[in-house]
Amino acid sequence: MSHPFEGLPTTPTAEELVDKAFSRASRAGGAKDGNEAQQSMLMTASNIASDNLENVVTAWPTIDDLDPFYVELADAIVGEAYPADDDPGIDALKQHLSEISWAASKVTEIRQEYESRVARGDIDTARKLRKQAFARIADVVEEVEDDLAAVSTAHNALKGIPDIRPDEPAIVVAGYPNVGKSSFVNRVTRADNEIASYPFTTTQIRVGHFEDQRIRYQLVDTPGLLDRPPEDRNEIESQAVSALEHLADAVLVFVDPSGECGYPLADQLELRNDIEARFDVPVLTIANKSDLSTDVEADHYMSVTEDDNVDGVLQAAIDAVDYELELPFDE
């Protein structure tokens, strides 16, 4: 299973939609004569316009049915994509989709209003009425031009998010830069680590996987989010941290007591305290670079470079998650 926004089709522009509807209508009309040709053109243009508009809407997952992790994350990402909106974020996207759905219904209404009149009129009247209907259909599609563009923007922003699965146990790795997080993730996970970017962070998110007792765990390293004090995060980044709160089953906060990372230990511990206060899951303090210093109170000490107690830390994370596989025959 991939993330819920991955398979979304490309959103057409208003101009592309009008061109498609009318060129198909022209072909349909060319195959018939008299009033029948006008009726066929009206039917084809309206069906293509309304179906394509409705397809834009129905292709999207129902936002309210998504896991809260994805709702928060989408809200943050779309908020970044719509900075000018009065109400940016997922509510703005819902509004744009609602307008497009209105346009689809309106096009169908126009067809219903004209079809019997086109069928009854003489050929000149039928042609005039069909042209009137075309002009109104084009107006309706053009009225949602900005909504189509906004949905396209949201789609482009969301399609590249990492494939993180809220139904699988997740261990989030946090701590200042250069404390050994990514070397730990690389050391304990399989070689197929995914690296993707959140659109609103300057750095990449890493998702690694490992298995234990037939359970697949996700290790999520989030540079650009949980690697600096909360006051240094912008609003969008803070919201992404909220998304991670829904995702995490445990958090490992890495600290470097040797100070080799370039950040004072007091600052590192302050970040740890903030994470402990925010996340309602086990938060373990991991002192890395134990070959250089163990001068800090921590839950576990290790050295990734010396391969000292790395497996012990991983086991501690698994124990903290305490995930039980649900077997199909369990009552």
Side-chain angles (χ1 to χ4, degrees):
M1 185 196 92
S2 53
H3 66 72
F5 306 108
E6 193 169 56
L8 292 171
T10 307
T11 310
T13 64
E15 190 181 354
E16 285 166 349
L17 231 160
V18 169
D19 286 350
K20 183 178 177 182
F22 292 167
S23 60
R24 291 270 187 90
S26 176
R27 287 212 298 276
K32 298 197 167 83
D33 297 314
N35 282 30
E36 213 180 314
Q38 302 307 310
Q39 283 174 276
S40 180
M41 288 171 78
L42 173 62
M43 184 69 79
T44 303
S46 71
N47 283 354
I48 283 179
S50 64
D51 286 355
N52 277 267
L53 288 166
E54 199 51 52
N55 288 345
V56 168
V57 180
T58 55
W60 281 80
T62 306
I63 304 291
D64 295 336
D65 292 347
L66 295 178
D67 186 278
F69 165 70
Y70 278 122
V71 176
E72 287 265 9
L73 193 57
D75 200 28
I77 292 171
V78 175
E80 181 78 347
Y82 297 161
D85 262 329
D86 295 337
D87 183 14
I90 214 77
D91 287 339
L93 173 60
K94 285 183 187 171
Q95 188 56 42
H96 292 306
L97 289 168
S98 169
E99 293 294 333
I100 294 166
S101 192
W102 164 84
S105 303
K106 191 69 185 167
V107 167
T108 302
E109 263 178 47
I110 291 168
R111 188 203 76 217
Q112 289 166 343
E113 185 185 329
Y114 279 88
E115 58 191 348
S116 59
R117 292 166 65 197
V118 168
R120 286 198 310 267
D122 60 68
I123 184 60
D124 287 339
T125 306
R127 190 178 290 117
K128 195 162 83 180
L129 287 168
R130 190 266 305 159
K131 284 182 176 175
Q132 257 180 37
F134 271 24
R136 286 181 61 191
I137 289 169
D139 281 348
V140 168
V141 175
E142 278 154 19
E143 206 172 316
V144 291
E145 183 175 10
D146 292 347
D147 300 289
L148 288 165
V151 167
S152 182
T153 299
H155 170 212
N156 290 335
L158 288 167
K159 68 182 178 186
I161 63 176
D163 175 16
I164 293 177
R165 306 180 185 189
D167 56 336
E168 289 184 358
I171 299 160
V172 170
V173 180
Y176 269 89
N178 309 319
V179 293
K181 294 172 299 188
S182 50
S183 50
F184 174 76
V185 172
N186 291 340
R187 160 74 175 70
V188 301
T189 57
R190 298 202 301 264
D192 64 350
N193 289 3
E194 283 181 52
I195 299 177
S197 295
Y198 283 140
F200 46 78
T201 61
T202 51
T203 41
Q204 294 165 316
I205 181 169
R206 291 166 178 272
V207 184
H209 302 101
F210 68 90
E211 280 192 20
D212 182 78
Q213 308 285 322
R214 296 199 326 226
I215 299 168
R216 191 175 99 133
Y217 292 83
Q218 304 169 101
L219 256 185
V220 184
D221 179 17
T222 57
L225 291 177
L226 290 173
D227 64 353
R228 59 188 189 280
E231 61 271 16
D232 291 355
R233 295 177 205 136
N234 65 33
E235 197 179 327
I236 302 291
E237 289 164 347
S238 298
Q239 199 169 349
V241 172
S242 298
L244 289 170
E245 287 172 43
H246 290 293
L247 178 75
D249 295 294
V251 184
L252 302 181
V253 182
F254 281 51
V255 295
D256 170 11
S258 75
E260 192 194 51
C261 66
Y263 298 93
L265 183 57
D267 292 356
Q268 297 181 55
L269 293 174
E270 204 171 311
L271 176 63
R272 188 273 317 268
N273 293 342
D274 168 67
I275 289 168
E276 255 183 348
R278 282 198 69 145
F279 282 78
D280 192 21
V281 295
V283 175
L284 303 182
T285 305
I286 310 299
N288 188 29
K289 309 187 188 177
S290 60
D291 52 316
L292 301 177
S293 169
T294 55
D295 193 16
V296 67
E297 203 174 303
D299 295 300
H300 300 275
Y301 300 85
M302 74 170 183
S303 169
V304 179
T305 52
E306 300 297 312
D307 202 16
D308 177 31
N309 198 33
V310 175
D311 291 334
V313 167
L314 190 64
Q315 189 56 53
I318 292 167
D319 293 344
V321 169
D322 195 22
Y323 184 85
E324 283 189 25
L325 197 60
E326 281 185 29
L327 298 172
F329 46 78
D330 277 1
E331 277 304 316

